[in-house]
């Protein structure tokens, strides 16, 4: 039986001449599931790239959510199954060129919590950073490398959430960095926290740390207990939360309504921008994100003005080798 639809306003889509193929490289994530739901309802086709473990591991919360979406919605709703496809892949293998005909491409994320010192304290925590780079950076690089030849040949395409716009612009390939609120990246991905160092504990550091903010949010959302990551021999301390003495991991389990409400702005931004003829190079999602970026730009501008004389004082006269005088006054 088809699940009753949760009432949310339909997303806006960029103007296009016909159905498109969307390649979602983190197909089992809540963002991809909710985006896929909108795309299939709109009439587009979707290729969902998932890790082999997400296709076979029935104990993973993310795999369970994806399996429920596929079995109870994609396979049931009329016309969806013929326009949706699953591809198993990981960050190092990218069997996707056949799908990248010039349509939108999305990426994957992995959330790690810890200060620079904490993430470099042991071989185990250093491995967390390497794993994050494999997913968040090299995973993107491999996907783009696999997709670009086809996009370049077709002189069309729109990778979302990457930054290579200048070099691919001659091939009519558009690039957009989509920047959602921090809650999106944290609450829709597996979270792993490095052991907290004493110097950053609550009694010695009164500043509100990101670790504590996320820990309190997870408790309010009634997320499952923290545990050692799969494959790790380390134990865990339930009482310590994300401030444990060991590496701990969790996956935020939100209600379906909460998840859709959390992702609504981001999904609408992706559908509105994906495949647009003249998309922005960077798109900030949500009022809070826009306010934060404006405040940051204001701070950067003020600091630039405060130190503009020192910045311009290093200009060299090419003929005499002397410093240019009065440059700061002309800025």
């Amino acid at each position: 039986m088809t699940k009753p639809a949760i009432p949310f306003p339909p997303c806006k889509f960029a103007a296009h001449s016909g159905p498109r193929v969307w390649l979602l490289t983190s197909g089992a994530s809540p963002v991809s599931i909710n985006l896929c739901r909108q795309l299939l309802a709109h009439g587009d086709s979707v290729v969902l790239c998932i890790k082999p473990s997400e296709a076979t591991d029935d104990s993973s919360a993310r795999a369970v959510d994806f399996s429920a979406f596929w079995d109870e919605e994609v396979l049931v709703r009329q016309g969806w199954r013929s326009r949706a496809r699953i591809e198993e892949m990981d960050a190092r293998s990218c069997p996707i060129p056949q799908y990248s005909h010039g349509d939108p491409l999305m990426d994957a994320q992995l959330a790690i919590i810890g200060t620079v010192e904490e993430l470099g304290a042991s071989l185990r925590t250093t491995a967390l950073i390497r794993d994050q780079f494999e997913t968040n950076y090299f995973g993107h690089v491999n996907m783009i490398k696999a997709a670009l030849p086809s996009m370049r040949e077709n002189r069309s395409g729109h990778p979302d959430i990457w930054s290579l716009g200048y070099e691919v612009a001659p091939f009519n390939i558009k690039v957009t960095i989509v920047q959602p609120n921090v809650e999106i990246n944290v609450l829709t991905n597996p979270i792993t926290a490095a052991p907290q160092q004493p110097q950053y504990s609550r009694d010695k550091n009164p500043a509100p740390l990101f670790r504590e903010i996320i820990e309190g949010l997870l408790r309010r959302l009634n997320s499952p207990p923290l545990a050692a990551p799969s494959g790790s021999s380390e134990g865990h301390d339930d009482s310590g939360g994300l401030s444990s003495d060991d590496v701990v991991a969790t996956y935020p389990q939100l209600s379906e309504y909460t998840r859709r409400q959390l992702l609504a702005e981001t999904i609408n931004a992706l559908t509105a921008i994906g495949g647009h003829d003249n998309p922005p190079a960077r798109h900030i999602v949500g009022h809070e994100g826009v306010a934060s970026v404006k405040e940051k730009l204001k701070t950067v501008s003020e600091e630039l003005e405060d130190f503009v004389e020192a910045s311009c004082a290093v200009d060299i006269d090419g003929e005499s080798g002397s410093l240019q005088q009065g440059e700061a006054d002309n800025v």
Side-chain angles (χ1 to χ4, degrees):
M1 179 180 295
T2 304
K3 275 189 173 182
I6 296 178
F8 278 97
C11 290
K12 298 179 181 179
F13 285 81
H16 53 95
S17 57
R20 300 164 297 177
V21 178
W22 294 65
L23 182 65
L24 309 184
T25 57
S26 182
S29 71
V31 172
S32 290
I33 290 174
N34 282 271
L35 180 57
C36 180
R37 185 181 287 118
Q38 294 286 343
L39 298 175
L40 293 175
H42 182 65
D44 287 343
S45 297
V46 181
V47 179
L48 294 159
C49 302
I50 65 174
K51 298 177 182 178
S53 60
E54 292 171 333
T56 58
D57 185 5
D58 294 335
S59 63
S60 165
R62 173 172 282 197
V64 170
D65 289 343
F66 178 76
S67 179
F69 165 69
W70 187 262
D71 295 340
E72 299 174 19
E73 296 188 53
V74 176
L75 297 183
V76 173
R77 296 188 176 178
Q78 184 176 4
W80 282 27
R81 179 63 186 92
S82 61
R83 291 183 285 108
R85 179 164 181 171
I86 296 175
E87 283 285 351
E88 292 187 13
M89 61 193 305
D90 57 32
R92 297 179 180 84
S93 63
C94 309
I96 60 177
Q98 65 268 36
Y99 303 113
S100 51
H101 302 304
D103 294 327
L105 173 69
M106 305 298 167
D107 74 342
Q109 296 288 335
L110 183 65
I112 303 293
I113 293 178
T115 64
V116 172
E117 285 184 288
E118 291 165 346
L119 291 170
S122 68
L123 292 177
R124 173 64 181 136
T125 55
T126 301
L128 295 178
I129 289 294
R130 294 185 181 278
D131 290 343
Q132 187 180 46
F133 267 87
E134 285 292 341
T135 300
N136 292 13
Y137 179 75
F138 290 109
H140 300 179
V141 171
N142 292 338
M143 303 300 176
I144 297 295
K145 284 169 58 181
L148 274 181
S150 178
M151 288 185 172
R152 191 169 58 245
E153 181 179 354
N154 289 278
R155 303 191 69 82
S156 178
H158 189 184
D160 285 347
I161 323 175
W162 222 67
S163 52
L164 73 166
Y166 181 79
E167 58 196 73
V168 299
F171 306 106
N172 195 36
I173 299 174
K174 315 295 184 181
V175 179
T176 298
I177 301 173
V178 178
Q179 182 177 324
N181 291 331
V182 66
E183 294 90 341
I184 302 297
N185 290 331
V186 174
L187 296 180
T188 62
N189 290 290
I191 300 174
T192 304
Q196 186 177 46
Q197 290 187 338
Q199 293 84 350
Y200 295 97
S201 62
R202 195 171 304 172
D203 57 336
K204 294 183 179 179
N205 188 348
L209 300 178
F210 185 70
R211 181 193 300 266
E212 296 175 3
I213 295 172
I214 297 301
E215 183 178 305
L217 187 57
L218 291 175
R219 285 175 176 165
R220 289 197 296 273
L221 293 170
N222 296 317
S223 282
L226 301 167
S230 58
S232 170
S233 60
E234 299 189 47
H236 67 280
D237 177 10
D238 289 332
S239 63
L242 292 178
S243 303
S244 170
D245 293 332
D246 295 315
V247 174
V248 291
T250 188
Y251 180 73
Q253 293 187 15
L254 313 180
S255 70
E256 184 66 15
Y257 182 85
T258 300
R259 184 180 292 122
R260 292 204 193 183
Q261 190 176 40
L262 175 68
L263 295 173
E265 288 180 329
T266 301
I267 300 303
N268 189 66
L270 293 172
T271 59
I273 292 172
H276 198 284
D277 289 339
N278 188 28
R282 179 183 293 271
H283 182 76
I284 311 300
V285 179
H287 297 290
E288 292 180 1
V290 170
S292 176
V293 170
K294 285 184 175 180
E295 184 64 28
K296 178 63 177 179
L297 292 175
K298 179 182 176 182
T299 301
V300 171
S301 179
E302 291 173 350
E303 291 178 349
L304 177 63
E305 292 299 326
D306 289 342
F307 293 94
V308 66
E309 185 173 350
S311 297
C312 295
V314 300
D315 288 347
I316 304 297
D317 185 335
E319 296 182 359
S320 64
S322 61
L323 293 177
Q324 295 279 7
Q325 299 296 320
E327 290 289 347
D329 298 333
N330 297 326
V331 174

